[in-house]
Amino acid sequence: MTAAMYDPVRIRKDFPTLEQTVNGKPLVYLDNAATSQKPQAVLDAIDAYYQRDNANVHRGIHELSRRATLAYEEARGKVAGWIHAPDESEIIWTRGTTEAINLVAIGWGLDNLSEGDEILISVLEHHANIVPWQILAARTKATLRYLELDEQGRLVLDDLESVLTDRTRVVAISHVSNSLGTINPVKEITRAAHAVGAIVLVDGAQGAVHTRVDVQDLGCDFYAFSGHKLCGPTGIGVLWGRKDLLEAMSPVQGGGEMIHIVGRDESSWAAVPQKFEAGTPNIAGAIGLGAAVDYLSQIGIENIEAHEKEIMAYAMGRLSEVPGIRIYGPTSLEERSAVISFTLGDAHPHDISTILDMDGVAVRAGHHCAQLVMKHFGVSATARASFYLYTTKEDVDRLVDGLGQVTAIFG
Amino acid sequence: MNSPQLSSLYQQLILEHYRNPRNKEELDAKTVEIHMANPVCGDEIRLQLRIEGDHIAEAKFVGSGCSISQAAVSMMTTRLQGAKLVDADALAKRFTEMMHGDEIAAQDKSLGDLRALEGVSKFPVRIKCALLGFDALQEALKKEVGDVGGELH
Ligand SMILES: Cc1ncc(COP(=O)(O)O)c(C=O)c1O
């Protein structure tokens, strides 16, 4: 598809959930940073697996098992392609970003960190990229350090060289912030981290959704993301890791699928990625995510990104005209992705969300699993509108109209 | 405002309490304090009571949150000054019943101004906001009753 042909109204029709009314109004779904809607192609792929091919993977000689294994492994290849991983065996299926980050914190961290070592994260992170490192720090007596934010919610990197020390072992940073939409310069951070010998994990939960990801170009060591934000089903996600690191790591869970030979006292492990995939996996989830990647590839991530930029420019323009609004995050559209966090006068974000919901407009209200970001801006919550490939300018207009209602009530 | 449901949710009385909350300050002489938060949305209050014998001599709160949570606590505290513990407990139970859609409770004049919050019961995801203060009150009473030897029963 070429950019000129991009038609969000037609794309919308691929998503059954978007074709409904909520509280008597056509649904405007602006909570994509929490989870995306699913296209028919994904629903069909999951359905086909359960209707025709359902069998366990890697365990049978029979026809159904062969088909299931084939579809499941094909999905791994598709996902590898989505982030330009050099080798599809570097793709480990997880439940999502959270599990992927925990896998690294425990599987890599426990063996490689000791007292006095440093873990560097940032104030911008989702709780999923904070708490696992806190747990690791407590267990290894390592020190947790933070990159701070400026007044626009961008990472302060002027003193990066001094924050990174010869004790820094791991840097874990989000590609794109879910609370503010800030796009972080992960490539530069990775280069600086590698210069002091630290490894880098990128939380790509929002990155792999909104921008072209090339893990080889980024140069990072781990990249984690979730299927459900990427038009795929819930319960499936990905940890990509550099092969040599994955091979050196201990498994985190033991069980079927992840072993080579099991003895009475000890066992040997299967090769990567199976070493990290104990037990019957989420086969339908992987297949569904594979179908999502196919669907998105057909449209083209560059086209989606261009569309989102256009929607963002329009939305920032329209929203900034709303009296009493305060928008958080970078002012430059080059530095932010398809997320707008805001507050409006005295109205609490919950009240904003309830009033918008009565108008069929779904936004998120709360701390967005980023309490440190809220604290940075001195608020307990914000309302957040987040866009995706099917968002239209009319959706933005409906949001702005709904905010008029908020002002009518709260003044 | 064109939605009748919204008008019933955001009654003037509620908005007025949200803008000018009553009894919102630290109570230095408190005998019990309960911290109650709603982790889903970040509503948060600390309810502070000075309990003397069988009654609440003073009730104050501090905190932040949405209009529903803050108005409900504010209204609640106006009812607690000098209230008997048994009456405070009964009020909390009655209010909770109204929030869970009990129509008889909603007709109960003893709820007074708190009946303005009845509309919240039509918004399932907001009921927890309205109950935040009363949950704290019930928690505080439980704690105190333990201390004073089950006076409520
Ligand atoms: C930036 C970021 N990191 C991590 C997560 C956690 O993802 P999940 O809940 O799918 O594991 C999310 C999504 O909620 C996110 O937006």
Side-chain angles (χ1 to χ4, degrees), chain A residues 102-235:
Chain A
N102 276 279
L103 199 164
V104 175
I106 299 303
W108 182 87
L110 280 184
D111 287 340
N112 286 282
L113 262 65
S114 52
E115 187 164 358
D117 283 344
E118 292 172 7
I119 302 164
L120 181 64
I121 61 175
S122 89
V123 172
L124 193 56
E125 302 311 305
H126 186 284
H127 297 163
N129 200 27
I130 297 176
V131 184
W133 304 112
Q134 290 175 337
I135 293 172
L136 175 65
R139 284 176 71 173
T140 57
K141 298 201 172 69
T143 306
L144 189 57
R145 299 189 63 185
Y146 283 89
L147 285 168
E148 300 298 331
L149 295 184
D150 68 11
E151 73 296 339
Q152 286 192 31
R154 296 171 300 194
L155 297 179
V156 177
L157 296 173
D158 306 342
D159 53 351
L160 182 59
E161 315 276 294
S162 66
V163 182
L164 288 167
T165 73
D166 58 359
R167 296 307 302 268
T168 311
R169 291 282 171 273
V170 53
V171 176
I173 222 80
S174 49
H175 195 171
V176 172
S177 149
N178 68 307
S179 57
L180 302 174
T182 316
I183 301 169
N184 293 320
V186 284
K187 194 169 169 178
E188 288 69 38
I189 295 171
T190 299
R191 209 177 295 133
H194 282 169
V196 298
I199 64 147
V200 176
L201 175 141
V202 177
D203 170 353
Q206 303 292 338
V209 179
H210 297 296
T211 189
R212 182 178 185 276
V213 175
D214 182 333
V215 291
Q216 300 178 71
D217 178 56
L218 289 177
C220 58
D221 302 286
F222 294 103
Y223 195 94
F225 62 101
S226 302
H228 68 92
K229 296 181 199 278
L230 194 68
C231 292
T234 52

Side-chain angles (χ1 to χ4, degrees), chain A residues 29 71 111 229 258 275 292 324 329:
Chain A
Y29 184 76
D111 287 340
K229 296 181 199 278
M258 55 76 68
K275 180 170 82 174

Side-chain angles (χ1 to χ4, degrees), chain B residues 65-85:
Chain B
C66 67
S67 63
I68 305 300
S69 71
Q70 301 302 299
V73 193
S74 169
M75 287 185 195
M76 177 186 86
T77 58
T78 65
R79 294 291 302 274
L80 296 183
Q81 316 297 335
K84 283 221 153 56
L85 299 183

Side-chain angles (χ1 to χ4, degrees), chain A residues 23-24 354 358 409, chain B residues 1-11 119-124:
Chain A
N23 292 316
T354 292
M358 289 309 289
I409 295 172
Chain B
M1 222 190 292
N2 53 23
S3 149
Q5 257 173 302
L6 278 183
S7 331
S8 87
L9 180 66
Y10 293 114
Q11 299 204 6
V120 180
S121 67
K122 307 285 186 312
F123 290 79

Side-chain angles (χ1 to χ4, degrees), chain B residues 129-146:
Chain B
C129 308
L131 287 176
L132 193 67
F134 280 102
D135 285 349
L137 173 62
Q138 290 196 305
E139 198 61 36
L141 293 175
K142 227 183 276 165
K143 207 165 150 184
E144 279 308 279
V145 171

